[in-house]
Amino acid sequence: MIEGDASPLSLLTLLALLGALAYAAAAGSAVLHARAVGTAPVAAVSAPARESARLLVQRRRTVPGADALLWRLGGALLPVAAALAALVVPLGSTAVSDLSVGVVWFNAMEVLAWCAVWLLGWGANSVWGLVGGYRFLIQGLSYELPHMFALITAALGAGSLRVGDIVAAQEDVWFAVLMPAAFAVYLVSALAMAFWGPFDAPVGRDAAGGAAAEPSGADRLVLLAGRYMLLAVVAAMAVPLFLGGGAGPLLPGWAWSLVKTLAVLGALVWTGHRVPTVRMDRFTEVGWMVLLPLSLLQALVVSVLVLVR
């Protein structure tokens, strides 16, 4: 728990909030899709609930030669990784656990997504699934280092790996203002981590759904829920890292945390619908030639400022 006058955030409350944010992301995506195809956006708000009910009663597809354990383990790891990462994300001034190495914990749980998507593609014994799984590994190699340096830059500015200390260090000015390149790299890498558009090639239509080609029924529901939960948790973590946490006028800290999280989540969902899918070779080039040098330069500038202040 983050020290302060607020009550500790219970695990049950955290999971409920994460589920609500994931549903909000799915509903927002459905509304944007409805507007694009010219159907009623209001009816799309309930689309995730109707799709969940349909998948729950749908019979699971059987693939000859598939490794059912790896396949289902891969799908289940995504929501588990998102929930574990969320343990260190504060709501206002309180979190389930404010670890002294909270930034490292968050990054380690995100890396589980690599394992999850690859297992999902490998275990399905499907060429499309395997293509999707390896695409995500390549994508991960391109975004993970810039993402890690963006996280470390925020920790460097605060002089601590504790998420609560990073929030406290933004009392005067948000890190999004002091280190805009790190904030931008974090958002781009967050989209890639959640294999959300424009970095959704691992589940692309050109590969018949890629890593998500074979899961059906409850397996597909768990996969989709995990993906939206991952998107929600990376949006929520942007708030304490770069947007001052729960700081703000009039409203209590928890309310500001939710408002800022919804704003970031809305921007990520909107970007996924507005920007076309980036080819893997292009993203790999951008990741190594642009994002990594940019994040390193930002970290260097912040390091110098920390030394001279």
Side-chain angles (χ1 to χ4, degrees), residues 233-260:
V233 78
V234 293
M237 191 59 170
V239 175
L241 288 179
F242 297 103
L243 301 177
L250 301 177
L251 298 176
W254 63 264
W256 272 114
S257 290
L258 285 179
V259 168
K260 294 175 184 177

Side-chain angles (χ1 to χ4, degrees), residues 135-144 146 185 188-193 198-202 277-292:
R135 277 185 178 181
F136 190 70
L137 286 185
I138 296 169
Q139 186 158 290
L141 290 172
S142 304
Y143 79 72
E144 186 57 41
V185 169
V188 170
S189 57
L191 286 168
M193 182 187 311
F199 311 115
D200 56 351
T277 299
V278 177
R279 279 173 25 198
M280 291 303 304
D281 58 328
R282 291 285 175 82
F283 180 64
T284 301
E285 186 176 355
V286 170
W288 287 95
M289 303 300 292
V290 178
L291 297 182
L292 183 56

Side-chain angles (χ1 to χ4, degrees), residues 115-209:
C115 179
V117 178
W118 187 81
L119 285 178
L120 193 66
W122 177 269
N125 194 34
S126 160
V127 63
W128 301 120
L130 198 58
V131 168
Y134 275 110
R135 277 185 178 181
F136 190 70
L137 286 185
I138 296 169
Q139 186 158 290
L141 290 172
S142 304
Y143 79 72
E144 186 57 41
L145 278 177
H147 182 75
M148 184 183 69
F149 281 117
L151 293 174
I152 291 300
T153 302
L156 193 62
S160 172
L161 291 169
R162 189 189 300 273
V163 179
D165 291 343
I166 296 175
V167 173
Q170 300 174 71
E171 185 177 4
D172 296 325
V173 58
W174 294 357
F175 280 175
V177 177
L178 291 178
M179 44 189 84
F183 182 46
V185 169
Y186 176 86
L187 293 179
V188 170
S189 57
L191 286 168
M193 182 187 311
F195 44 104
W196 189 259
F199 311 115
D200 56 351
V203 292
R205 293 180 179 177
D206 62 323

Side-chain angles (χ1 to χ4, degrees), residues 51-52 54-63 71-72 75 120 124 211-224:
E51 177 67 6
S52 299
R54 185 186 71 81
L55 291 174
L56 280 175
V57 299
Q58 185 184 56
R59 185 176 180 180
R60 283 171 166 165
R61 181 183 307 161
T62 301
V63 180
W71 188 5
R72 288 177 180 140
L120 193 66
E214 300 300 342
S216 60
D219 296 329
R220 186 172 182 82
L221 177 59
V222 172
L223 169 63
L224 294 177

